Amino acid sequence: VQASCDLRFNLRGRWVAVGLAEAALARHEPDRALDLIDEAMASIAGEAVIARVHLAALGLRAAADILAARNAHGIAPKVRERAARYRACLDAALSESLVPGMTAGSSVRVLAAWGTAEAARLEGRADPDAWALAADGLEGWIAPHLVPYARSRQAEALLADGRRRDAGGQLRAASERANQLGATSMLAMIGSLARRARLELSGPGPGSGRDQAGHNGHDLSSRESEVLDLITEGCTNREIAAQLFISEKTASAHVTHILAKLGVPTRGAAAAQATRLRLETGRNHV
């Protein structure tokens, strides 16, 4: 379905633009989302402060998602330049200079808190306090689906900060809220984070840490299978450690064990074997 945000920007137009951008993000198309947001921002009337701040926060989310992708290195400067305009919009709204004479009400402050948390993610900083402020503010706002998203990002930041117990609590809260809303794409995001971090959401299940050795013909554990997936994507040990919330030393040990179990001398050979066997068997893991 093709739709344009090039329209007279009113309340309906704002939610159309937000909905299209959020749908693109759910499909893992942050580039498309950022284009939609740019298009919508260009059509907003000057006094539409809340709409502009809402789209600015969403734009920072899209930019952060783009830079989180491994193929974003070459385009990072351009993405950061676009994101800087959105951060400037947030700052101007909070300083009440975006529109002369217009104050920053509660909605502006809630959305700016969310945007500020996204800006920290964009910069590669784990800021659980920023996400806590955003999530608390969004609790009473008009888009309840943003609450489990913010809580899951708070959990992610807590994990990066080494606070696993706190992260587990926030992730379970996010999962419960997403279940209440029937937000399937959000549940998938939460489940992925829980598996990577080996956190339980509601009792034992996939990714709970149970050994699955022997299920793949090469005696790889479930964690080793996850590491092999990242090797296949070209991740370094440091990137593997960041993805799975483990130390770089532990990531290196997993790689060594994988090479030994597969009987190959290099990471490239392991990736090639994994890819070949997936094509032959149609399975997700070697």
Side-chain angles (χ1 to χ4, degrees), residues 80-138:
R80 291 186 187 281
E81 182 180 345
R82 293 166 75 180
R85 296 197 295 269
Y86 292 132
R87 183 57 196 262
C89 176
L90 296 185
D91 292 341
L94 287 173
S95 66
E96 302 183 344
S97 62
L98 187 61
V99 175
M102 189 167 288
T103 60
S106 59
S107 291
V108 168
R109 295 190 180 280
V110 166
L111 291 166
W114 168 32
T116 299
E118 295 287 9
R121 189 165 71 93
L122 178 70
E123 296 161 6
R125 291 189 291 108
D127 194 338
D129 292 339
W131 281 109
L133 182 63
D136 290 345
L138 289 166

Side-chain angles (χ1 to χ4, degrees), residues 8-232:
R8 181 180 178 82
F9 208 90
N10 50 26
L11 180 61
R12 177 178 177 277
R14 167 196 175 185
W15 287 111
V16 168
V18 167
L20 289 170
E22 288 184 341
L25 289 168
R27 294 193 303 269
H28 306 290
E29 298 174 357
D31 301 84
R32 173 61 176 155
L34 195 57
D35 288 343
L36 287 164
I37 295 161
D38 282 348
E39 194 177 335
M41 285 287 273
S43 66
I44 298 179
E47 291 78 19
V49 175
I50 295 176
R52 290 161 73 182
V53 175
H54 192 169
L55 285 167
L58 195 58
L60 287 164
R61 173 184 171 180
D65 282 2
I66 292 171
L67 294 191
R70 281 193 42 79
N71 61 356
H73 301 300
I75 62 172
K78 291 182 179 179
V79 173
R80 291 186 187 281
E81 182 180 345
R82 293 166 75 180
R85 296 197 295 269
Y86 292 132
R87 183 57 196 262
C89 176
L90 296 185
D91 292 341
L94 287 173
S95 66
E96 302 183 344
S97 62
L98 187 61
V99 175
M102 189 167 288
T103 60
S106 59
S107 291
V108 168
R109 295 190 180 280
V110 166
L111 291 166
W114 168 32
T116 299
E118 295 287 9
R121 189 165 71 93
L122 178 70
E123 296 161 6
R125 291 189 291 108
D127 194 338
D129 292 339
W131 281 109
L133 182 63
D136 290 345
L138 289 166
E139 285 282 359
W141 205 61
I142 57 177
H145 66 285
L146 291 175
V147 176
Y149 169 77
R151 292 294 180 201
S152 68
R153 290 296 185 195
Q154 183 183 357
E156 185 178 51
L158 286 164
L159 283 166
D161 204 35
R163 296 160 60 183
R164 287 184 57 83
R165 179 173 295 181
D166 292 339
Q170 292 302 327
L171 203 57
R172 284 187 287 274
S175 179
E176 182 178 352
R177 179 64 68 88
N179 265 310
Q180 292 170 352
L181 297 171
T184 55
S185 62
M186 191 68 249
L187 285 168
M189 175 181 168
I190 292 167
S192 174
L193 178 58
R195 286 190 296 274
R196 288 190 288 123
R198 293 298 179 90
L199 289 174
E200 299 266 351
L201 290 178
S202 57
S208 64
R210 293 177 300 170
D211 193 4
Q212 297 178 13
H215 80 293
N216 46 40
H218 289 277
D219 200 31
L220 296 186
S221 69
S222 58
R223 183 56 111 190
E224 287 168 345
S225 291
E226 292 167 352
V227 172
L228 181 55
D229 285 342
L230 294 172
I231 291 173
T232 304

Side-chain angles (χ1 to χ4, degrees), residues 228 231-232 255-256 258-260 262-274:
L228 181 55
I231 291 173
T232 304
V255 171
T256 299
I258 290 166
L259 298 184
L262 296 182
V264 295
T266 66
R267 301 164 74 98
Q273 183 168 329

Side-chain angles (χ1 to χ4, degrees), residues 70 73 230 234-244:
R70 281 193 42 79
H73 301 300
L230 294 172
C235 292
T236 65
N237 287 352
R238 178 174 294 181
E239 290 166 335
I240 291 169
Q243 283 284 321
L244 300 180

